[in-house]
Amino acid sequence: MSNGVKGVSKAIPVIGAVVSGGLTLATYRPMAKRLKNHLAGLPLADPSHRVSEGDVVDGEVVEEHETFAPVDAELHGADTPTLKLEEPRP
């Protein structure tokens, strides 16, 4: 092959990458701007938005070392012992 053909064959992927990147930029940029404007208009984006006491949910802490019996053990009359969780390894 001549040097000119080698140069063109190496330039084609670069040209394709530039065209593909340009098309991606041209299509994503307007949608990104629309999304940014939409999200900026939501109440959570307002710096004065505060969580009220009614929005806070209290949770319950479950100890890791509790023993649990299988849920269906009583239903099927199984004589399986209560399962004990393994101790955490250091």
Side-chain angles (χ1 to χ4, degrees), residues 3 7 11 18 21-22 28 33 35 38 41 43 50 54-55 58 70 74 79 82:
N3 287 338
V18 169
Y28 273 81
K33 286 182 180 180
L35 178 62
H38 173 74
R50 299 280 187 247
D55 293 341
D58 290 329
E74 287 183 13
D79 292 331
T82 303

Side-chain angles (χ1 to χ4, degrees), residues 27-65:
T27 56
Y28 273 81
R29 180 170 273 179
M31 289 293 134
K33 286 182 180 180
R34 285 183 61 196
L35 178 62
K36 178 183 170 187
N37 292 335
H38 173 74
L39 293 176
L42 294 178
L44 284 175
D46 184 15
S48 65
H49 178 76
R50 299 280 187 247
V51 176
S52 66
E53 287 296 320
D55 293 341
V56 177
V57 178
D58 290 329
E60 178 182 335
V61 176
V62 178
E63 294 295 325
E64 292 181 19
H65 302 291

Side-chain angles (χ1 to χ4, degrees), residues 5-22:
V5 175
K6 282 185 180 181
V8 170
S9 68
K10 290 185 179 193
I12 289 177
V14 174
I15 294 169
V18 169
V19 170
S20 176

